[in-house]
Amino acid sequence: MYPFFPNILKKDTSYLKSLSPFETIWYHVPELQNWSSSSWWFFLLFPKQKEGYGPKQMMFTFASRVGKEIRVSTSPSRALNNWQPGIPLPRSVKNGTDEFWTTVVGWINDGHQVHEEIVHQPARAVLKNSGSLKAWAKNGFGGEIKINPELTYGIDAHFKGKKGEAKFTVWKVDNEPMTEPHVSDIRTKFGGTHLVAWRKFNFKGTFASPSGTEELEGIGYFQRVCMNIPMFPWKWIFTYFEDGSIFSLFGPYLGLQMFRRGNKWLPPFLERVTSSFAIPGYFYDAKTQKITSFPKSRIQAFVDRGKYPIFTVKAWNNEGDNISFIANAYGHAQFLLDRRILKRMWISRLNYNEFMYKVEKLSGKIGGRVISKQTVGQGWGNHEYTWGFSL
């Protein structure tokens, strides 16, 4: 009935039930993959600074997808003929080892400017269930992550490219329920998503960019996600506040942005006309260690206010809890995920954008507690605002 999507509802992944969420990071779940699948391992790092966890910020990722020919480039003007193999199907994991092509990508915002392509390297990835993922090219560029057995949920990471290098270690924040990785396995007749999300951890390391080398430490977010469905454009807001509280929203959306391949904005009014499937969100209060869910929310982009857009963010629930703020973007990083289809007659593209932002005009009330800069401190975050449509 659904010839383009295998029925993953009954696929046997019972072996995953014996694993902890942290152990599941090192599994790629090939049983669930189909022609539309993509896989990502990424770190989003927020160093501790004078006013909370910004403006410095970094991201490092392994980006992969199924396809005979795929391409990861940092902008439309750099989308040259750097095609590479995608993840092959079908395939099997032998002796706990899974091999596939990936692209290692990383950027650093030094607090004044964004340095893209700290690393940008296609490489053959080797994923071992024992706890490592390595993808190094012959030129010595690429990246790896591996378990550090001396720490609780410890991971050592190393990324290196033409413009810089990062070596850092992440580990669990003690005595906070939000710092436990968790697994989501969403399956439908049209595909699904298998996710390991780690919403807060400690990190410490050395980061080198064209602006210099720094020793930094702070908190961060990690995700290993296998998407087994075409990539609609989505909006993902993620914020750390100065006291360690977290606010996040995520959801795919419909709009004329689905037909945009480059970077030219729509007329300002049309840029704000989107229809979201669902943008559920939550606020984690570091003081009370309670999580409040928001089934109702809205994110709008204002693209005529300066070099970068500003985003208005609102979320609420039926109990009267609410939060709103302006996400004032001050930096932008990008890469394009392309795939040749129809025997090279057409190129499918997802335009993946990250806007670093500062929280302004924060207001709200959750569980009777006023949410403001005075109660939770300054907020800094990252907004994934993607467009296009990846088949």
Side-chain angles (χ1 to χ4, degrees):
M1 186 176 181
Y2 304 95
F4 299 108
F5 294 93
N7 187 353
I8 66 172
L9 295 176
K10 297 181 180 179
K11 292 288 184 178
D12 183 13
T13 56
S14 57
Y15 66 92
L16 294 173
K17 295 180 180 179
S18 64
L19 304 173
S20 69
F22 183 76
E23 292 171 321
T24 307
I25 290 171
W26 316 102
Y27 286 77
H28 204 193
V29 203
E31 298 86 353
L32 302 180
Q33 293 179 346
N34 57 49
W35 65 271
S36 68
S37 296
S38 61
S39 297
W40 318 72
W41 286 257
F42 72 87
F43 296 88
L44 189 57
L45 307 177
F46 294 76
K48 180 66 176 178
Q49 293 152 77
K50 290 183 179 180
E51 197 177 12
Y53 296 96
K56 295 177 183 179
Q57 193 176 132
M58 299 88 78
M59 188 279 293
F60 296 94
T61 186
F62 300 86
S64 313
R65 74 153 301 164
V66 169
K68 289 184 178 181
E69 291 181 289
I70 70 165
R71 176 176 62 187
V72 179
S73 51
T74 52
S75 71
S77 63
R78 296 183 183 180
L80 304 176
N81 291 321
N82 54 333
W83 295 94
Q84 67 185 69
I87 300 171
L89 290 179
R91 73 182 198 286
S92 60
V93 179
K94 298 180 180 179
N95 299 320
T97 300
D98 193 357
E99 296 190 29
F100 52 93
W101 275 88
T102 192
T103 301
V104 185
V105 181
W107 54 260
I108 292 176
N109 185 328
D110 64 10
H112 302 283
Q113 67 180 104
V114 180
H115 301 284
E116 294 191 82
E117 294 190 319
I118 292 296
V119 56
H120 190 101
Q121 182 62 56
R124 182 103 174 146
V126 178
L127 174 66
K128 292 184 179 294
N129 296 162
S130 57
S132 67
L133 171 59
K134 299 181 180 181
W136 294 102
K138 292 181 180 180
N139 60 9
F141 297 152
E144 70 176 273
I145 58 177
K146 59 183 179 180
I147 290 177
N148 181 324
E150 298 180 358
L151 299 170
T152 303
Y153 299 156
I155 296 178
D156 292 324
H158 181 201
F159 297 89
K160 185 177 181 180
K162 291 182 180 180
K163 293 186 178 181
E165 187 173 8
K167 288 185 177 181
F168 58 92
T169 298
V170 309
W171 67 96
K172 183 183 182 300
V173 181
D174 292 334
N175 302 319
E176 284 195 56
M178 179 60 73
T179 67
E180 293 283 341
H182 73 276
V183 174
S184 296
D185 186 357
I186 302 170
R187 304 193 196 186
T188 74
K189 294 178 180 180
F190 301 98
T193 300
H194 194 278
L195 169 77
V196 182
W198 191 2
R199 295 173 287 188
K200 189 178 181 182
F201 55 73
N202 289 319
F203 84 87
K204 185 175 183 179
T206 304
F207 301 86
S209 73
S211 65
T213 300
E214 291 187 286
E215 300 289 330
L216 299 170
E217 58 185 290
I219 57 179
Y221 178 96
F222 170 82
Q223 189 173 112
R224 190 284 278 144
V225 57
C226 298
M227 298 178 65
N228 304 307
I229 196 168
M231 284 181 285
F232 281 84
W234 67 78
K235 302 174 184 179
W236 179 46
I237 285 279
F238 190 84
T239 308
Y240 282 126
F241 291 97
E242 196 168 352
D243 72 343
S245 296
I246 300 171
F247 176 77
S248 182
L249 296 173
F250 174 82
Y253 69 92
L254 293 175
L256 293 177
Q257 293 87 345
M258 291 181 64
F259 305 101
R260 177 166 62 202
R261 296 171 62 84
N263 293 338
K264 187 176 181 180
W265 297 115
L266 296 170
F269 170 74
L270 291 178
E271 194 70 43
R272 295 193 293 275
V273 179
T274 60
S275 178
S276 300
F277 296 121
I279 304 188
Y282 66 86
F283 178 82
Y284 168 69
D285 191 326
K287 181 178 180 180
T288 64
Q289 297 191 358
K290 292 183 178 180
I291 299 174
T292 301
S293 297
F294 296 105
K296 303 174 183 179
S297 61
R298 183 173 63 188
I299 303 170
Q300 288 189 302
F302 292 79
V303 297
D304 55 348
R305 306 295 175 88
K307 182 179 180 180
Y308 301 111
I310 68 170
F311 305 95
T312 57
V313 183
K314 297 180 180 180
W316 63 96
N317 60 27
N318 293 333
E319 288 71 44
D321 302 309
N322 66 88
I323 187 171
S324 65
F325 60 86
I326 291 175
N328 192 354
Y330 61 88
H332 173 232
Q334 174 186 62
F335 65 83
L336 313 177
L337 188 60
D338 294 341
R339 181 189 182 193
R340 278 177 169 159
I341 60 175
L342 298 176
K343 296 183 178 181
R344 298 189 177 185
M345 293 177 61
W346 189 60
I347 297 174
S348 167
R349 170 173 291 177
L350 180 79
N351 196 319
Y352 174 92
N353 298 272
E354 295 177 285
F355 291 95
M356 297 123 258
Y357 63 81
K358 181 179 182 180
V359 171
E360 297 180 352
K361 298 184 178 180
L362 173 67
S363 65
K365 197 170 186 180
I366 299 175
R369 182 190 180 198
V370 172
I371 302 300
S372 67
K373 185 176 179 180
Q374 287 69 39
T375 59
V376 297
Q378 179 61 56
W380 304 87
N382 187 290
H383 184 196
E384 288 186 358
Y385 184 31
T386 73
W387 50 79
F389 183 65
S390 181
L391 292 173

